[in-house]
Amino acid sequence: ESFGKEEKRNTYGTSMRIISARNKSDIDVQFLDEHGYIKRHAMYINFVKGQIKNPYDKNKYGVGYIGVGKHKSKVNGQYNYIYDAWADMLNRCYHSKKNFPAYYDICTVCDEWLNFQVFGDWYENNEYPVNERLHIDKDILYPNCRIYSPETCLLVPQRINMLFLNKPNKRGLPNGIIKCQSGYLSKYAGKKLGVYPTLEEAYEVYANVKENKIKEVADEYMNIIPKETYEALYKYKVKIENDKNYKVVA
């Protein structure tokens, strides 16, 4: 039975062609994109319906794809933690405007990490045992960084990651600073650090306390985190211009 060199598009719009057929339940299909992936032993009925999966189809939020390699999205029917980390990163940058307004359409993921296999290799090579979740942090090495990439990111324990939250607030003042009658109140972790006549002075006090806290936590994790991460934490400077709420008054 001959199926010829039939061509069709799959449900993601990728062109594919039958390159060999043994019978209706056993055909080989090649995708006509730059990767040229060959799906072997497919069923003709699935080809007709466009239901042949191409591992290079951008089926995660329109940008990410699984690729070909050892990393699987699911292990024993459950999404695995590396896949969850990858999907969460893509979700922030490309999908969930409501939940991540500080990331959506502002931050991007580098081209190689759109391939789950490449990201999975990086994650595996950089993970280490710790009794909490590891988070992908792009702000410790490069404050206010807008790109997730192997050059800009570190894997850090959740507690360390939380030290670098830089959320927009509705006060229009940097985090840690509150306007009061006699000037600017500086606060860190619920503790009042004093009132100062200028925003800059108040922030400098806040920054010093926060930098010391970062060093203190770094020391707690000294024997857990990689040396590069420990050194980056120690060098980190809390600067007013990196706060998402700071507006330079012309």
Side-chain angles (χ1 to χ4, degrees):
E1 193 167 356
S2 173
F3 303 96
K5 300 288 183 205
E6 270 184 68
E7 281 187 23
K8 208 169 166 38
R9 287 180 186 274
N10 75 356
T11 49
Y12 283 98
T14 308
S15 293
M16 52 184 182
R17 178 190 296 143
I18 296 173
I19 55 169
S20 69
R22 287 155 294 278
N23 57 58
K24 279 199 166 180
S25 299
D26 189 6
I27 64 170
D28 297 339
V29 176
Q30 182 165 31
F31 288 94
L32 307 179
D33 58 8
E34 70 268 32
H35 303 285
Y37 177 75
I38 296 172
K39 172 70 177 169
R40 303 201 183 273
H41 311 299
M43 294 179 75
Y44 180 66
I45 184 72
N46 291 339
F47 177 82
V48 172
K49 290 177 176 175
Q51 289 173 353
I52 308 283
K53 284 183 181 169
N54 176 11
Y56 296 98
D57 280 336
K58 293 176 178 176
N59 59 3
K60 198 69 191 171
Y61 306 126
V63 289
Y65 54 94
I66 295 296
V68 173
K70 66 175 183 174
H71 299 286
K72 304 281 179 268
S73 58
K74 286 184 175 180
V75 176
N76 299 328
Q78 299 284 316
Y79 284 113
N80 80 53
Y81 65 99
I82 298 179
Y83 178 83
D84 280 341
W86 178 73
D88 181 53
M89 175 178 70
L90 296 179
N91 181 28
R92 285 164 181 254
C93 298
Y94 301 105
H95 181 67
S96 191
K97 186 177 184 177
K98 185 165 149 279
N99 294 338
F100 300 104
Y103 293 83
Y104 178 82
D105 229 12
I106 295 168
C107 298
T108 58
V109 175
C110 70
D111 286 349
E112 65 253 49
W113 274 9
L114 297 176
N115 181 342
F116 175 54
Q117 301 303 319
V118 178
F119 174 81
D121 286 344
W122 175 85
Y123 193 107
E124 265 192 1
N125 292 336
N126 287 277
E127 72 177 322
Y128 45 90
V130 60
N131 291 330
E132 58 194 287
R133 268 184 66 191
L134 286 170
H135 285 238
I136 308 159
D137 188 288
K138 60 175 178 46
D139 296 299
I140 295 173
L141 292 176
Y142 301 97
N144 266 349
C145 174
R146 291 186 172 188
I147 182 159
Y148 285 95
S149 74
E151 293 74 37
T152 57
C153 291
L154 296 170
L155 269 184
V156 299
Q158 181 166 343
R159 185 167 161 231
I160 290 177
N161 186 245
M162 298 307 274
L163 291 171
F164 294 89
L165 280 181
N166 186 3
K167 283 185 170 176
N169 64 49
K170 292 193 166 66
R171 296 194 314 277
L173 285 171
N175 289 303
I177 309 298
I178 295 161
K179 183 87 177 85
C180 57
Q181 272 183 317
S182 48
Y184 294 89
L185 170 67
S186 183
K187 273 178 92 174
Y188 183 72
K191 192 177 170 198
K192 292 180 181 176
L193 307 172
V195 176
Y196 301 87
T198 69
L199 170 61
E200 284 69 25
E201 284 172 273
Y203 195 83
E204 197 178 325
V205 173
Y206 164 83
N208 280 333
V209 171
K210 185 165 180 174
E211 282 172 16
N212 286 333
K213 181 66 178 175
I214 291 167
K215 289 183 175 80
E216 187 189 304
V217 174
D219 284 337
E220 281 183 54
Y221 282 84
M222 190 176 175
N223 298 322
I224 297 169
I225 59 179
K227 188 165 178 272
E228 178 201 13
T229 304
Y230 178 80
E231 288 172 357
L233 293 170
Y234 247 74
K235 281 195 288 216
Y236 190 84
K237 291 279 169 240
V238 177
K239 295 180 179 176
I240 194 167
E241 61 266 27
N242 289 331
D243 191 285
K244 286 200 165 92
N245 306 284
Y246 179 64
K247 293 173 181 65
V248 180
V249 181

